Amino acid sequence: MIPAVSVSNIHKKFGDFQALCSIDFNIEDGLFFGLLGPNGAGKSTLINIMAGLARADMGTIHVMGNDVRADWRKTRRTLGIVPQELAYDPFFTAREMLRLQSGYFGKGKENHAWIDELLDRLGLTDKADENMLQLSGGMKKRVLIAQALVHKPRVLVLDEPTAGVDVELRKTLWKFIRQLHGKGHTILLTTHYLEEAEALCDRIAILDHGKLIANDTTEALLELCPYRFLNLSLSSPLANIPELIQKKVVSFDNSEIVLRLHRTKDSIGSVLDALNSADISFHDLHINEPGLEQVFLSLTGAKDD
């Protein structure tokens, strides 16, 4: 099966700055794929090359089997991109913007029903005939999402789609995107909200300083941090630590003990039984589960502020 997106040996420099270096990965058709990295890692540069807004110095990108440079017309019909920036024409209403965008792909009145559905699904129906200048930033973002989908692309690229938007829009967006994914659309997401990527993406690639440093399933990446932390608030001062859990102790004082437990090898029940046998009582407990953020910080060397 032809990959939805194939990135092969992409290099890109801006003067002496190496923005991308030997980037290789495939996105299988129908996958929800995350592209992560710190600011300046090369994510937007790669998306711009994919969209035809920039040219790679070396290498190729294919979208649904079409070379983004040699077969640019076919590529654009299969690709929809939601950019970070709020770019819009201030002289049109939301509905007019979408109909104009639809016309660029040779679609006429037969596409109006789909446009109306997009307006409805993204909560834009009551704003559809207002000038773009009159819309809030969140509403403009919704129009951009609808604009990327107006020609029914097989591959949808979301470049920081929820940056700076409210909770309502975020929930509306992800509900709609999940439905699109369920219908077979391939989704490429870049985001700094790592909990979104962890919850949504089947597979994740991580860029750092223009290089691909990870590309695996979300589950496999999470296994790179196989520990969780058990925090116990003690009912009385701690005298002795049971031998069974001594090597698991991260920290302890008179009121709290923190244990590091392996996700699969250590049983929380066994630990609690050992504490009970040692007459160590506690009045509260909670578990901290390291997630994609910890993996990301570990791989990129970024500081956790």
Side-chain angles (χ1 to χ4, degrees):
M1 182 182 293
I2 297 175
V5 178
S6 179
V7 179
S8 303
N9 195 34
I10 290 294
H11 292 253
K12 180 64 178 177
K13 292 182 73 174
F14 295 100
D16 294 329
F17 176 67
Q18 187 77 51
L20 294 170
C21 181
S22 190
I23 305 300
D24 279 282
F25 63 83
N26 289 335
I27 303 175
E28 299 305 318
D29 193 18
L31 202 66
F32 205 128
F33 189 90
L35 181 64
L36 307 180
N39 289 330
K43 304 185 299 297
S44 293
T45 299
L46 187 61
I47 289 173
N48 286 340
I49 294 171
M50 190 184 305
L53 298 176
R55 286 195 173 189
D57 300 325
M58 185 186 302
T60 60
I61 297 180
H62 290 77
V63 178
M64 300 308 299
N66 303 305
D67 188 296
V68 298
R69 288 181 60 179
D71 303 316
W72 60 271
R73 289 184 184 273
K74 292 181 180 179
T75 300
R76 282 168 173 75
R77 291 183 182 277
T78 59
L79 185 64
I81 295 182
V82 180
Q84 291 186 43
E85 298 80 12
L86 291 176
Y88 61 92
D89 194 321
F91 299 103
F92 294 99
T93 66
R95 193 190 307 276
E96 288 169 341
M97 282 277 292
L98 297 181
R99 289 184 176 180
L100 184 65
Q101 182 78 6
S102 179
Y104 290 150
F105 293 92
K107 298 181 181 293
K109 292 183 178 180
E110 76 280 357
N111 207 38
H112 287 184
W114 172 238
I115 290 173
D116 289 341
E117 183 178 344
L118 287 173
L119 290 168
D120 177 60
R121 300 288 291 279
L122 290 167
L124 286 164
T125 301
D126 61 343
K127 303 289 185 181
D129 297 310
E130 290 189 16
N131 188 279
M132 289 293 295
L133 276 176
Q134 298 173 318
L135 300 183
S136 67
M139 289 297 174
K140 290 186 178 80
K141 176 71 79 171
R142 297 183 193 210
V143 175
L144 290 183
I145 294 165
Q147 198 172 349
L149 290 165
V150 76
H151 57 295
K152 300 180 180 179
R154 288 282 301 278
V155 179
L156 179 63
V157 178
L158 303 168
D159 192 2
E160 300 287 350
T162 56
V165 303
D166 58 33
V167 175
E168 179 187 0
L169 173 55
R170 188 171 298 178
K171 289 182 177 179
T172 300
L173 171 60
W174 291 131
K175 180 180 179 180
F176 186 36
I177 296 303
R178 280 191 176 102
Q179 290 170 346
L180 287 172
H181 180 236
K183 293 179 179 179
H185 288 265
T186 302
I187 312 294
L188 170 58
L189 168 70
T190 76
T191 180
H192 285 294
Y193 298 115
L194 299 185
E195 69 277 7
E196 288 184 347
E198 183 176 341
L200 294 164
C201 297
D202 306 309
R203 191 175 185 91
I204 291 173
I206 300 177
L207 295 178
D208 191 25
H209 293 94
K211 296 181 180 180
L212 185 67
I213 61 171
N215 179 18
D216 213 330
T217 64
T218 305
E219 182 179 355
L221 287 175
L222 290 174
E223 286 298 320
L224 296 177
C225 283
Y227 295 97
R228 53 187 172 178
F229 296 89
L230 177 63
N231 296 59
L232 298 166
S233 297
L234 303 173
S235 301
S236 57
L238 182 63
N240 298 305
I241 300 175
E243 185 177 351
L244 177 66
I245 65 171
Q246 283 181 1
K247 293 182 179 180
K248 306 181 191 302
V249 175
V250 175
S251 65
F252 75 92
D253 56 29
N254 288 335
S255 61
E256 184 177 66
I257 183 171
V258 180
L259 307 174
R260 188 178 75 160
L261 307 179
H262 195 280
R263 291 177 188 268
T264 57
K265 297 178 181 178
D266 294 322
S267 165
I268 293 178
S270 297
V271 170
L272 296 181
D273 287 342
L275 292 170
N276 185 55
S277 298
D279 293 326
I280 298 174
S281 60
F282 56 92
H283 58 83
D284 192 18
L285 68 82
H286 65 273
I287 299 172
N288 292 328
E289 295 274 2
L292 188 60
E293 181 175 351
Q294 283 70 33
V295 175
F296 179 86
L297 293 172
S298 174
L299 290 173
T300 62
K303 293 181 179 180
D304 186 357
D305 296 329

